[in-house]
């Protein structure tokens, strides 16, 4: 007879098992090093051989656009580092770095089992919920830093998403204000904050400036790029919006959030069956969204962070669907103030309601031809995308400095122990 274990129980069992394994490995390693040290071996040499200086972890290949410039910066400076990915086809695996080793560690629990036993000074990641779900803090890692992959609110992660990191690398000052208030309310000890800008948007802007302005299609294009979930654009309007768009003269590109194909598979299957690719409409699932953003004249979205990629990098208008977002699952729920995203949206784009659908073509045209949102876009850049063009260097500076501090501290500690102090 087959036993069924629900996902929640499975996650709990995995956590218990990995905790026990991690404790055992930690004990064995500690004992091994103590024995070697007691017989006169060079302790620091053992540390150098076994402990990784800097590790970068990506849970999906789509975040390579966050990490690529950082890896290249570390490699250029001759800093040894390891890039770990849970995507077997991550573009990082095709890079020929001299000092940054790229490695596929497996998907799901297989990858987490390796992360949970990692031996490193510094770990950098975009992945939230460290020490909440399957990914546990390794006892052999000194420092965990989270880097934001968006310029929108840092409190829109699921509850406790960043609580167990030691540092957060931010794109704007306003995010630090949010996080300080959040953790003060939870009585969580102070963390390190560093505003470094946004590596992904820096790279996107550099790429946009290098490309010609020639579009792939002469016809004006509307890009539909929603977030996922019940408050998302497709969940809220679905076929009503697509039918309204098909009555306009615009070419339509729909780029769903990757999570929609997992969490909302039934809805996506039905919409893609109902509206197959043709000369008027296309579905885009490319790992790199550059061409989609570059070729679109306007974006229709909701509160997805991609709005800022489009409006701030390409300086183009957006229509956004107002949504009653249930923040009960998110860190923002604990703050008695509106999200920055919801405050800035009316300043960078026009709200879209179902009552606009019968004359959607004229609404789109008016938004494309209007200059009233330019000042709002400038304001959003100043507040959320600081250190423009400098982000990769600032992240590399931070990682190298932190590694050197931790390595020096450990070396001093070992020296004092050897001297009997």
């Amino acid at each position: 007879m087959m036993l069924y274990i629900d996902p929640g129980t499975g996650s709990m069992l995995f956590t218990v098992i990995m905790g026990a394994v991690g404790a055992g490995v930690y004990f064995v390693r500690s004992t091994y090093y103590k024995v070697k040290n007691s017989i006169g071996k060079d302790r620091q040499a053992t540390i150098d051989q076994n402990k990784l200086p800097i590790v970068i972890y990506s849970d999906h290949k789509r975040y390579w656009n966050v990490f690529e410039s950082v890896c290249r910066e570390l490699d250029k400076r001759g800093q040894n580092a390891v890039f770990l990915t849970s995507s077997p086809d991550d573009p990082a695996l095709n890079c020929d770095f001299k000092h940054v080793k790229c490695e596929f560690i497996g998907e799901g629990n297989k990858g987490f089992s390796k992360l949970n036993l990692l031996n490193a000074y510094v770990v950098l990641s975009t992945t939230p919920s460290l020490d909440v779900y399957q990914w546990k803090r390794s006892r052999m890692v000194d420092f965990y830093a989270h880097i934001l992959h968006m310029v929108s609110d840092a409190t829109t992660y699921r509850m406790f998403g960043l609580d167990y990191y030691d540092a957060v690398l931010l794109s704007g000052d306003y995010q630090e204000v949010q996080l300080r208030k959040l953790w003060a309310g939870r009585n969580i000890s102070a963390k390190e904050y560093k505003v470094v800008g946004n590596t992904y948007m820096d790279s996107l802007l550099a790429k946009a400036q290098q490309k010609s302005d020639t579009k792939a299609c002469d016809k004006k294009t509307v890009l539909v790029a929603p977030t996922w979930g019940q408050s998302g654009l497709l969940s809220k309007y679905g076929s009503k919006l697509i039918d309204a768009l098909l009555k306009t003269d615009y070419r339509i590109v729909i780029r769903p959030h990757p999570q929609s194909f997992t969490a909302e598979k039934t809805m996506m299957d039905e919409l893609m069956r109902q509206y197959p690719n043709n000369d008027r409409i296309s579905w885009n699932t490319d790992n790199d969204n550059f061409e989609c953003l570059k070729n679109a004249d306007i974006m229709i979205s909701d509160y997805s962070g991609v709005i800022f990629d489009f409006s701030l990098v390409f300086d183009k208008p957006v229509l956004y669907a107002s949504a009653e977002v249930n923040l009960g699952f998110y860190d923002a729920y604990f703050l008695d103030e509106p999200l920055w995203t919801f405050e800035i949206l009316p300043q960078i784009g026009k709200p879209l309601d179902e009552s606009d659908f019968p004359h959607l073509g004229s609404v789109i045209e008016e938004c494309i031809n209007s200059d009233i949102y330019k000042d709002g876009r400038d304001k959003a850049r100043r507040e959320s995308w600081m250190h423009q063009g400098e982000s990769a260097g600032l992240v590399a500076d931070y990682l190298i400095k932190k590694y050197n501090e931790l390595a020096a501290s450990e070396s001093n500690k070992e020296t004092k122990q050897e001297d009997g102090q």
Side-chain angles (χ1 to χ4, degrees), residues 6-245:
D6 64 87
T9 303
S11 176
M12 180 181 69
L13 289 174
F14 176 82
T15 298
V16 171
I17 293 170
M18 288 311 304
V21 172
V25 171
Y26 181 75
F27 173 77
V28 171
R29 281 178 181 266
S30 300
T31 303
Y32 171 71
Y33 291 146
K34 287 177 182 177
V35 170
K36 290 194 74 172
N37 199 38
S38 68
I39 60 175
K41 297 290 185 179
D42 187 330
R43 170 67 171 172
Q44 186 60 41
T46 302
I47 294 173
D48 291 344
Q49 291 172 9
N50 291 276
K51 196 160 193 172
L52 300 173
I54 297 171
V55 173
I56 299 174
Y57 169 62
S58 176
D59 61 64
H60 195 279
K61 63 182 179 181
R62 63 178 174 269
Y63 297 117
W64 180 233
N65 55 28
V66 176
F67 295 121
E68 180 179 9
S69 60
V70 177
C71 288
R72 294 195 182 283
E73 187 69 23
L74 291 172
D75 195 62
K76 182 176 72 174
R77 299 187 189 189
Q79 174 61 57
N80 291 333
V82 176
F83 180 86
L84 303 178
T85 176
S86 288
S87 289
D89 55 347
D90 196 307
L93 301 173
N94 297 320
C95 293
D96 186 21
F97 295 125
K98 291 183 179 179
H99 303 281
V100 179
K101 178 184 177 183
C102 299
E103 180 184 347
F104 169 59
I105 59 170
E107 300 171 289
N109 287 343
K110 182 178 180 181
F112 289 128
S113 67
K114 294 183 180 180
L115 291 172
N116 295 349
L117 301 176
L118 201 58
N119 185 20
Y121 287 100
V122 185
V123 174
L124 177 72
S125 181
T126 58
T127 307
S129 300
L130 171 68
D131 230 25
V132 177
Y133 296 120
Q134 287 98 324
W135 186 17
K136 301 299 179 183
R137 288 182 63 109
S138 169
R139 297 188 185 191
M140 295 170 286
V141 170
D142 294 331
F143 196 86
Y144 286 90
H146 182 90
I147 183 170
L148 298 180
H149 66 274
M150 73 287 192
V151 299
S152 50
D153 300 75
T155 56
T156 51
Y157 287 119
R158 293 276 175 160
M159 283 185 185
F160 321 117
L162 302 180
D163 283 19
Y164 300 101
Y165 275 93
D166 300 299
V168 186
L169 307 188
L170 308 164
S171 68
D173 285 335
Y174 86 94
Q175 296 162 336
E176 179 178 340
V177 175
Q178 288 181 335
L179 291 175
R180 284 188 181 276
K181 289 180 179 178
L182 174 71
W183 286 323
R186 292 180 183 168
N187 293 318
I188 293 177
S189 58
K191 299 176 184 294
E192 288 190 12
Y193 305 91
K194 180 69 175 178
V195 177
V196 296
N198 187 279
T199 56
Y200 158 59
M201 290 181 66
D202 279 0
S203 298
L204 196 63
L205 179 60
K207 191 174 181 180
Q209 292 171 338
Q210 292 171 0
K211 295 282 186 177
S212 74
D213 293 331
T214 305
K215 285 180 58 176
C217 176
D218 293 334
K219 198 168 189 177
K220 285 186 176 179
T221 301
V222 176
L223 173 60
V224 180
T227 190
W228 66 281
Q230 293 184 348
S231 301
L233 189 69
L234 290 180
S235 294
K236 190 173 183 180
Y237 295 126
S239 59
K240 292 180 181 179
L241 173 63
I242 298 175
D243 286 339
L245 284 170

Side-chain angles (χ1 to χ4, degrees), residues 343-361:
E343 289 189 320
I344 202 69
L345 275 178
Q347 300 177 55
I348 67 172
K350 179 179 175 57
L352 178 69
D353 189 77
E354 192 172 350
S355 61
D356 295 317
F357 289 2
H359 51 279
L360 188 53

Side-chain angles (χ1 to χ4, degrees), residues 307-319:
I307 281 181
F308 301 108
D309 303 351
F310 184 74
S311 61
L312 304 190
V313 173
F314 294 91
D315 205 31
K316 295 178 182 179
V318 295
L319 287 167

Side-chain angles (χ1 to χ4, degrees), residues 248-299:
T248 70
D249 294 328
Y250 296 97
R251 177 173 173 261
I252 306 153
V253 176
I254 306 176
R255 182 180 171 85
H257 191 285
Q259 188 64 27
S260 290
F261 294 101
T262 301
E264 304 169 310
K265 187 177 186 304
T266 301
M267 178 191 74
M268 292 305 307
D269 288 346
E270 175 58 27
L271 286 175
M272 295 181 77
R273 183 199 63 78
Q274 189 176 353
Y275 303 97
N277 288 321
N278 54 51
D279 60 344
R280 287 291 319 281
I281 188 170
S282 63
W283 295 84
N284 182 276
T285 58
D286 295 344
N287 185 56
D288 188 342
N289 65 4
F290 176 80
E291 292 299 328
C292 268
L293 299 178
K294 171 180 172 290
N295 292 325
D297 295 280
I298 190 170
M299 173 183 285

Side-chain angles (χ1 to χ4, degrees), residues 334-345:
F334 294 93
L335 296 180
D336 188 22
E337 59 186 48
L339 289 171
W340 177 86
T341 295
F342 294 153
E343 289 189 320
I344 202 69
L345 275 178

